[in-house]
Amino acid sequence: DMTKHFGVEHLDAGQGFTSDDIKAAAEAQGGEIREGDVGLFYSGWTDHMLESDPQAWGAGQPGVTNEAAEYLASLNIMAVGEDSWSVGAVRAVEGEKVFYDHVTFLAHNGIYILETMDTGPLAEQGVNEFMFVLGQPRFKGAVQSMINPVAMW
């Protein structure tokens, strides 16, 4: 829950969170990201912006910095997701490459990206660790699809 970490209802478009932010949030909230995990983040972006300002919602978003993507990849996680339409900050944080988190996760490390995840209910209930279940649809040759994940705690 990155909103809890930063003490806001939602992060702003282009606001990046670093590995230090992720580590501090995990420690404060009693979570830990381990090898093979699915790391999901709540930024409040979709919950607070999609209906109230859909144009702003689609024009930018908060998310991981390039450095945070490298950190998460170093943990050898299975997948990473956020409650926005991508995972990295858009407008990229100054000095960084926009969407380079995709290169780090997918191309360099084979880590799946889960976009527009409904992580709000988990954050609202203070759920930090759970069993993540994802039934993958059988589409041959597809690179994207709608998914229906389940969090069990």
Side-chain angles (χ1 to χ4, degrees):
D1 183 351
M2 299 312 290
T3 64
K4 188 174 186 178
H5 172 69
F6 287 104
V8 296
E9 281 192 351
H10 68 83
L11 278 64
D12 295 325
Q15 182 176 354
F17 46 91
T18 66
S19 63
D20 287 340
D21 294 321
I22 293 168
K23 291 172 193 175
E27 184 176 333
Q29 296 172 36
E32 181 183 358
I33 304 172
R34 295 176 296 269
E35 182 174 348
D37 278 355
V38 174
L40 299 178
F41 296 96
Y42 178 67
S43 70
W45 187 246
T46 294
D47 284 350
H48 289 89
M49 298 299 290
L50 181 58
E51 288 187 27
S52 67
D53 193 347
Q55 189 169 9
W57 179 82
Q61 68 170 32
V64 299
T65 61
N66 294 176
E67 176 272 334
E70 290 287 345
Y71 164 70
L72 291 166
S74 76
L75 299 176
N76 199 24
I77 60 176
M78 174 68 63
V80 63
E82 190 181 329
D83 62 327
S84 56
W85 48 263
S86 189
V87 175
V90 177
R91 295 173 308 266
V93 172
E94 188 174 331
E96 295 202 345
K97 299 174 184 174
V98 70
F99 298 119
Y100 199 76
D101 57 296
H102 283 59
V103 174
T104 299
F105 292 134
L106 291 171
H108 294 170
N109 294 284
I111 296 170
Y112 298 104
I113 296 174
L114 308 171
E115 299 167 338
T116 322
M117 299 294 290
D118 188 9
T119 55
L122 296 170
E124 185 178 302
Q125 296 178 47
V127 176
N128 298 313
E129 292 195 27
F130 51 89
M131 184 171 93
F132 182 83
V133 180
L134 176 63
Q136 187 67 2
R138 294 181 168 195
F139 295 136
K140 187 173 184 177
V143 294
Q144 288 186 320
S145 65
M146 301 301 285
I147 57 173
N148 190 22
V150 176
M152 299 171 71
W153 67 94

